[in-house]
């Protein structure tokens, strides 16, 4: 499709992109400035939606949804075949060997990875649609099961550091496919409830999914650097490439992801700023992050004021980079607390000194070798030995996984 074929009528443009999103693993690119962000914001995940609606109709949403979907694929059911064609396809821009440098870097920096919650979650809330979705499920909101939800999410993030496991069919890859099912269950549940208040955006739509590539890619690398991590340009681009791949697994169209690191960055700037907006929901959810993190004895044994200070420091303009607003903490209602912010910065400087040891080959090798095992042990312990359950939370009083 060329830009001249996209009409000026929004509904027609949206339908054209829905048709594109229905094509498994489509690689139809246009110049970055011509990507129709407005229309993509109103597109969900038609391939996954078609599969789950069929499974709901056939009473296959109980038990292991992934296994049930695979059984439909083996039986030649068109919706399942199309979905797995999409999620298993390796894009032309992806080389798995190129993911190893970024995974190694992240394994050496567990502190920066764990504190990403303070920057990444609040940043996602600056998309009003995402804030509304997160608030409607209730799991990260006041009264929800914040700790459980956080460590379930961490399961996927830690798994992404296992490059072999992230190849199609690998155990880590399957975790992210389950998360795609989860997002689709929630989207369908919200639509079924008739309670979606934002007609200009789709809940967990294409743009929100693709925009997470920046939040959990370049921005998280900047958080790692803030807490003393030593990151080369190769490692940065490698880590960001992994998150482009994850966004693709999650259903983001290739047109929104870019074929190179530079193209990805230019696209991300357009995507995150198109959806940007402060809201009462964003402020409320950010307060819930502070409250939830403060109740977790591990790894965040700190008072609330220190958690607020971490958020303010991590959302500084030089870390968030591509946002047009230069006061993300203010937009989220996080007050200044200079003594606490200085204390947090001091911790970062101390870790920067300690991390100089990773320049030594033996230290670097040991940190890489044991990093993933340590992170997995932490996640298992915090989940109490009960594996992550990627099931849609009820919306409007009705289960989304039924």
């Amino acid at each position: 499709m060329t830009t001249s074929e996209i009409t000026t009528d929004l509904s027609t443009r949206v339908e054209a992109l829905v048709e594109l999103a229905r094509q498994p693993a489509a690689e139809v690119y246009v110049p970055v400035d011509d990507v129709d962000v407005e229309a993509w914001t109103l597109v969900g995940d038609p391939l996954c939606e078609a599969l789950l609606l069929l499974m709901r109709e056939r009473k296959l949403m109980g038990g292991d949804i992934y296994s049930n979907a695979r059984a439909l694929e083996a039986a030649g059911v068109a919706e399942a075949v199309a979905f797995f064609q999409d999620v298993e396809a390796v894009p032309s821009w992806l080389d798995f060997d190129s993911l190893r440098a970024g995974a190694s870097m992240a394994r050496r920096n567990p502190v920066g990875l764990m504190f990403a919650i303070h920057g990444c979650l609040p940043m996602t809330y600056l998309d009003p649609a995402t804030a509304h979705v997160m608030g409607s499920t209730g799991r990260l909101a006041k009264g929800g099961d914040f700790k459980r939800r956080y460590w379930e999410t961490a399961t996927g993030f830690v798994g992404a550091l296992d490059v072999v496991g992230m190849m199609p069919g690998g155990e880590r890859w399957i975790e992210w496919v389950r998360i795609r099912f989860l997002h689709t269950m929630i989207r369908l549940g919200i639509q079924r409830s008739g309670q979606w208040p934002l007609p200009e955006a789709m809940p967990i739509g294409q743009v929100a999914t693709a925009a997470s590539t920046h939040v959990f890619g370049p921005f998280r690398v900047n958080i790692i650097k803030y807490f003393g991590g030593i990151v080369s340009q190769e490692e940065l681009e490698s880590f960001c490439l992994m998150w482009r791949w994850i966004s693709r697994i999650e259903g983001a169209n290739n047109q929104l992801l870019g074929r190179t690191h530079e193209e990805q960055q230019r696209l991300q700037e357009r995507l995150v700023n198109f959806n940007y907006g402060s809201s009462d929901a964003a402020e409320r959810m950010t307060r819930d992050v502070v409250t939830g993190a403060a109740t977790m004895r591990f790894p965040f044994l700190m008072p609330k004021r220190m958690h607020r200070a971490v958020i303010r420091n991590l959302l500084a303009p030089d870390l968030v980079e591509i946002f047009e607003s230069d006061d993300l903490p203010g937009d989220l209602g996080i007050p200044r607390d200079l003594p606490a912010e200085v204390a947090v910065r001091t911790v970062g400087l101390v870790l920067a000194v300690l991390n100089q040891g990773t320049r030594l080959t033996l230290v670097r090798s040991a940190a890489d070798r044991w990093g993933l095992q340590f992170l997995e042990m932490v996640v298992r312990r915090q989940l109490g030995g009960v594996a992550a359950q990627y099931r849609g939370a009820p919306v409007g009083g009705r289960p989304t996984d039924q």
Side-chain angles (χ1 to χ4, degrees):
M1 183 193 306
T2 65
T3 55
S4 64
E5 294 172 320
I6 300 176
T7 73
T8 56
D9 177 72
L10 180 59
S11 62
T12 303
R13 287 154 44 208
V14 169
E15 184 54 38
L17 294 180
V18 169
E19 287 303 313
L20 175 58
R22 286 195 179 113
Q23 300 174 29
E27 293 201 50
V28 179
Y29 300 100
V30 297
V32 170
D33 292 339
D34 292 342
V35 172
D36 193 346
V37 179
E38 181 184 29
W40 275 118
T41 303
L42 290 164
V43 180
D45 184 353
L47 287 169
C48 195
E49 290 160 13
L51 173 58
L52 291 190
L53 286 171
L54 175 72
M55 292 177 67
R56 181 186 292 171
E57 179 183 330
R58 297 192 180 186
K59 312 294 185 186
L60 293 174
M61 294 296 286
D64 188 333
I65 295 176
Y66 177 83
S67 296
N68 292 347
R70 280 297 195 187
L72 290 176
E73 180 201 23
V77 175
E79 291 85 348
V81 170
F83 173 80
F84 284 107
Q85 283 178 346
D86 181 70
V87 81
E88 289 178 339
V90 178
S92 60
W93 42 259
L94 177 60
D95 169 15
F96 281 102
D97 284 339
S98 297
L99 301 177
R100 299 185 187 281
S104 174
M105 176 276 296
R107 290 194 295 265
R108 300 193 308 268
N109 290 281
V111 174
L113 284 180
M114 290 180 182
F115 273 98
I117 181 178
H118 292 76
C120 295
L121 269 181
M123 184 182 284
T124 63
Y125 300 155
L126 286 165
D127 169 9
T130 298
H132 185 79
V133 169
M134 294 289 202
S136 67
T137 63
R139 294 199 61 194
L140 285 172
K142 186 176 181 180
D145 53 346
F146 184 95
K147 178 181 176 180
R148 176 81 191 174
R149 181 68 180 89
Y150 169 77
W151 289 107
E152 284 187 343
T153 301
T155 300
F157 286 5
V158 171
L161 309 183
D162 174 4
V163 174
V164 173
M166 286 296 294
M167 294 178 181
E171 291 185 14
R172 319 299 191 153
W173 176 88
I174 291 173
E175 288 176 353
W176 283 102
V177 175
R178 293 184 188 279
I179 293 171
R180 182 169 175 178
F181 287 152
L182 168 65
H183 289 169
T184 302
M185 284 186 275
I186 293 171
R187 183 188 313 107
L188 292 173
I190 290 173
Q191 292 173 329
R192 181 174 60 181
S193 74
Q195 298 176 6
W196 182 246
L198 301 171
E200 69 277 9
M202 177 72 67
I204 322 181
Q206 284 281 331
V207 169
T209 301
S212 68
T213 310
H214 175 77
V215 176
F216 299 113
F219 178 55
R220 203 144 58 110
V221 171
N222 286 344
I223 293 175
I224 287 172
K225 290 180 180 178
Y226 181 90
F227 284 103
I230 299 169
V231 184
S232 69
Q233 184 64 26
E234 178 192 5
E235 290 168 339
L236 163 66
E237 295 188 14
S238 172
F239 191 82
C240 295
L241 180 61
M242 174 62 86
W243 277 91
R244 254 192 290 161
W245 171 229
I246 290 172
S247 293
R248 177 76 279 278
I249 298 170
E250 291 304 286
N253 191 271
N254 278 302
Q255 192 175 110
L256 296 171
L257 299 176
R259 289 159 289 184
T260 66
H261 180 71
E262 293 73 20
E263 198 171 71
Q264 173 192 345
Q265 288 294 90
R266 290 170 56 213
L267 274 166
Q268 291 299 301
E269 185 169 3
R270 290 197 63 204
L271 300 182
V272 300
N273 285 300
F274 184 88
N275 277 356
Y276 189 93
S278 58
S279 65
D280 291 341
E283 292 191 25
R284 182 173 63 254
M285 293 295 292
T286 302
R287 290 195 297 270
D288 289 334
V289 169
V290 172
T291 300
T295 62
M296 295 168 62
R297 294 186 58 82
F298 181 86
F300 309 122
L301 188 57
M302 304 186 302
K304 286 185 179 181
R305 66 179 296 196
M306 294 299 292
H307 288 284
R308 285 191 288 265
V310 172
I311 292 174
R312 278 205 69 96
N313 284 11
L314 295 184
L315 294 180
D318 59 328
L319 272 71
V320 301
E321 291 185 331
I322 64 175
F323 284 82
E324 292 174 358
S325 172
D326 59 1
D327 188 18
L328 272 66
D331 292 344
L332 291 167
I334 299 294
R336 293 300 306 263
D337 184 342
L338 190 57
E341 290 167 38
V342 170
V344 171
R345 185 57 187 157
T346 301
V347 171
L349 293 173
V350 170
L351 288 171
V353 173
L354 295 176
N355 270 347
Q356 294 302 309
T358 61
R359 296 184 185 277
L360 301 173
T361 302
L362 288 177
V363 175
R364 185 185 186 91
S365 177
D368 187 356
R369 185 169 60 254
W370 298 108
L372 182 59
Q373 294 180 37
F374 168 75
L375 289 165
E376 288 185 317
M377 178 273 293
V378 170
V379 171
R380 283 196 303 270
R381 181 168 297 180
Q382 295 303 313
L383 287 175
V386 180
Q389 303 293 318
Y390 299 117
R391 310 290 300 197
V395 174
R398 298 182 66 181
T400 56
D401 56 355
Q402 294 180 9

